[in-house]
Amino acid sequence: MSDRVVSAVRSKSSVVASATALVALAACGPEQEPTAGAPMPATTSEAAAAAAATITPDDLYQKISVLAADSMRGRDTPSPEIEQVATWIGEHFASLGLRPGGDDGSFIQRYALRQMTASVESSSIAFSNGASLAWGTDVMALGLPRDGSTSGPVVLVSGSGDPAGAFADLPDQAQVFVFAGPEMEATRQTAWAGLASALYDAGAGQVFVISTIAGTPWERSLARSQQGSRVVGELDPDRPVTMNVREGAVRAALAGVDVDALQSRQDDDLEVTVLEGLTVDSDIAIQILDDASAPNVVGILEGSDPALRDEYIVYSAHMDHVGVGRTVQGGDSIFNGADDDASGTATIMEVAEAMASLDRAPRRSMIFLLVSGEEKGLLGSAYFADHPSVPVEQMVANINADMVGRNWPDTIVAIGKEHSDLGETLNRVNEAHPEIGMTAIDDLWPDERFYFRSDHFNFARKGVPILFFFNGTHEDYHRASDELDKIDTEKTARIGQLIFYLGLEVSETDARPQWNPDSYAEIVEGA
């Protein structure tokens, strides 16, 4: 489970407290209304029951013991250990007879994960009046800047408001200096995003934001910026990144410009001023600090129905964790991540084994995806969603498991039930299989925004209906104490059986899952 959230959430301690306080409530499970006239699920056959029975506590214990072993050193991304895990999972998929869905006929999909920054030595910003700005002293990037050489007139932008149409007459390759003022600077990452995008769309060469930060805070920000940014895949040449420029340096370079007056306009309408006769040459070179890559593992079980086998159900979990801690906790510095997310990874491996054991393959095809980089910001799943083994339009559902080995023994939270009719399908499957003794309930923590915090979100944003199975956090979340001996493998096996039956039901049903229209507008279209 990644810490990184799309919007602000409460502290981790409050999440743990919420989970603890709600254990008793969740263990009871809400009553589910039977669906009037609903057909009996297709998952009630003896063959399905026999396949589900292959998902066992002993098998899960064995798999989690490998994933969460000290020798795996917390499965950081990137690391030699996450490579070992990926190879092991790929070999398991091969033993099941799954088809490789990775690169070059293999089970491994690789994505570049380079640490990059702007080179202090090779980057320069020079004015035609002889002034200059020193990279790494006067200038730093908010993120990774656009590299290359641009040259154009100096344009000053001040004020605030909707940038739509404000820059229609912007000169080509303009070197834009935005005078934001202290209040805007406090919220710069959100306040400047739309402004920078509009400026680049209008043809700006580079965008600089004047910073009022000075002294030690500025020096600390400079040092952080030079540590670089992790870049997944290839750089987007059109990324709308801004650069911060120290106000004192700009005052010297723009002699005669009333900087104070421009800074004080932050609450006024946007105003664009072209400084006639003054140009800037910006030469920015990107330096690679660490040229690494990371693996995803992709196995495909081909469906049996000629009419439906080109549609896919994606099972996913993240095989990475956070590595080795800087300080020893209780005599142990290895963050084994037994629940987060060795439990989910082992569960998806078990579901793959159960599906492959069926005499007749499911009607729809299935993708079993184990990703890295979740703890770094959902990196591996984002890369797969952008570079899928099959077209995203052919993916009918994503079933994601992240932290399914702890807390209450007979209840699992299924986040996303309200957003598509997958929720109704899950309820129907749950009712048909009381023998599992596992009740899937609605999101207990909507304010925590867990919908946006695991790998399913990268499928949802592409228009794939999702369900996210999650048992909540606990006192060992992202600690070295998240160990194998605290995993309830008997419970985890029953969750595995439930999501096995769910995927099989989706596979056997003629109609593909459908979004709630309002949810689609909010999550996919961004309305």
Side-chain angles (χ1 to χ4, degrees):
M1 166 65 65
S2 176
D3 288 345
R4 306 189 183 205
V5 193
V6 174
S7 61
V9 299
R10 290 179 289 168
S11 68
K12 299 267 184 37
S13 60
S14 71
V15 180
V16 174
S18 300
T20 303
L22 287 166
V23 166
L25 169 65
C28 297
E31 293 184 3
Q32 295 175 341
E33 293 292 332
T35 306
M40 179 65 71
T43 59
T44 55
S45 70
E46 292 183 4
T54 67
I55 302 173
T56 68
D58 287 346
D59 284 354
L60 283 161
Y61 184 91
Q62 186 274 329
K63 290 179 174 63
I64 296 172
S65 70
V66 173
L67 292 161
D70 281 353
S71 61
M72 291 302 162
R73 295 181 57 79
R75 310 184 306 279
D76 199 7
T77 303
S79 70
E81 292 76 26
I82 199 67
E83 300 291 344
Q84 294 173 36
V85 166
T87 298
W88 174 67
I89 294 172
E91 290 172 349
H92 179 70
F93 283 173
S95 73
L96 301 179
L98 301 186
R99 175 164 60 87
D103 302 331
D104 302 322
S106 74
F107 287 98
I108 306 298
Q109 178 193 57
R110 303 205 68 81
Y111 59 94
L113 188 58
R114 294 168 293 179
Q115 190 82 6
M116 308 172 79
T117 189
S119 170
V120 172
E121 293 78 13
S122 302
S123 300
S124 63
I125 299 164
F127 292 76
S128 58
N129 63 5
S132 64
L133 300 173
W135 193 273
T137 301
D138 300 323
V139 186
M140 64 179 170
L142 301 176
L144 202 64
R146 290 189 176 196
D147 55 322
S149 298
T150 59
S151 180
V154 174
V155 174
L156 311 181
V157 173
S158 61
S160 58
D162 186 356
F167 309 124
D169 298 325
L170 194 74
D172 186 47
Q173 296 298 298
Q175 307 294 297
V176 181
F177 291 80
V178 179
F179 291 81
E183 185 174 325
M184 193 173 180
E185 182 151 14
T187 58
R188 60 185 180 275
Q189 291 187 350
T190 54
W192 298 341
L195 188 65
S197 293
L199 284 164
Y200 282 117
D201 288 345
Q206 296 290 357
V207 177
F208 305 87
V209 177
I210 314 305
S211 177
T212 58
I213 299 173
T216 300
W218 174 260
E219 296 299 327
R220 288 174 178 169
S221 295
L222 278 176
R224 284 195 298 271
S225 71
Q226 289 308 118
Q227 291 174 2
S229 303
R230 279 285 183 193
V231 178
V232 178
E234 298 304 314
L235 278 175
D236 176 7
D238 298 322
R239 58 195 181 279
V241 181
T242 60
M243 289 167 280
N244 260 5
V245 184
R246 189 170 57 84
E247 184 182 280
V250 172
R251 287 180 183 275
L254 301 180
V257 172
D258 191 342
V259 171
D260 292 330
L262 292 169
Q263 292 283 45
S264 68
R265 294 195 70 258
Q266 60 180 307
D267 294 326
D268 298 336
D269 292 339
L270 283 171
E271 182 177 273
V272 179
T273 302
V274 180
L275 294 187
E276 299 294 341
L278 184 61
T279 61
V280 167
D281 293 329
S282 296
D283 293 300
I284 300 176
I286 299 300
Q287 177 182 4
I288 298 175
L289 303 176
D290 180 17
D291 194 7
S293 67
N296 293 328
V297 188
V298 191
I300 300 175
L301 179 64
E302 186 170 349
S304 59
D305 188 329
L308 294 179
R309 67 166 54 119
D310 289 335
E311 294 183 350
Y312 295 80
I313 298 158
V314 182
Y315 281 98
S316 62
H318 71 92
M319 57 187 176
D320 66 309
H321 195 51
V322 298
V324 178
R326 294 182 180 179
T327 59
V328 174
Q329 298 182 13
D332 185 3
S333 61
I334 298 174
F335 288 60
N336 299 96
D339 193 27
D340 185 13
D341 184 33
S343 65
T345 297
T347 299
I348 299 307
M349 294 173 71
E350 282 288 287
V351 171
E353 191 170 332
M355 291 292 183
S357 74
L358 290 164
D359 290 338
R360 176 184 66 79
R363 294 177 68 195
R364 287 185 171 89
S365 297
M366 297 192 174
I367 295 175
F368 300 96
L369 172 68
L370 284 312
V371 300
S372 61
E374 192 269 358
E375 300 289 4
K376 295 293 199 301
L378 315 184
L379 303 183
S381 59
Y383 186 83
F384 180 85
D386 290 338
H387 304 84
S389 304
V390 302
V392 170
E393 295 76 18
Q394 293 170 214
M395 300 178 189
V396 304
N398 169 237
I399 300 170
N400 187 51
D402 190 351
M403 299 179 66
V404 291
R406 296 280 297 270
N407 295 346
W408 47 88
D410 57 1
T411 309
I412 185 67
V413 172
I415 292 174
K417 288 177 66 180
E418 72 277 20
H419 293 311
S420 76
D421 62 9
L422 276 176
E424 297 173 11
T425 302
L426 175 59
N427 288 345
R428 191 166 69 250
V429 169
N430 224 165
E431 292 165 7
H433 293 282
E435 77 282 359
I436 296 177
M438 181 58 60
T439 301
I441 64 173
D442 295 346
D443 188 356
L444 292 175
W445 318 278
D447 291 343
E448 304 299 342
R449 308 271 290 172
F450 286 123
Y451 187 91
F452 302 91
R453 293 175 60 178
S454 190
D455 296 300
H456 57 277
F457 179 68
N458 282 316
F459 292 95
R461 68 181 176 86
K462 293 285 190 177
V464 181
I466 69 94
L467 282 177
F468 168 33
F469 291 84
F470 174 55
N471 59 211
T473 59
H474 40 69
E475 66 276 6
D476 301 309
Y477 174 62
H478 280 200
R479 294 179 179 271
S481 51
D482 184 4
E483 296 274 16
L484 172 65
D485 60 3
K486 296 180 180 179
I487 300 297
D488 182 350
T489 55
E490 195 274 336
K491 167 208 169 166
T492 308
R494 287 184 286 119
I495 294 172
Q497 291 170 0
L498 178 62
I499 67 174
F500 162 81
Y501 281 128
L502 172 63
L504 190 58
E505 178 69 12
V506 174
S507 174
E508 300 301 290
T509 303
D510 289 341
R512 61 193 293 170
Q514 296 297 313
W515 278 87
N516 174 314
D518 291 340
S519 297
Y520 187 88
E522 176 188 1
I523 296 167
V524 184
E525 297 178 334

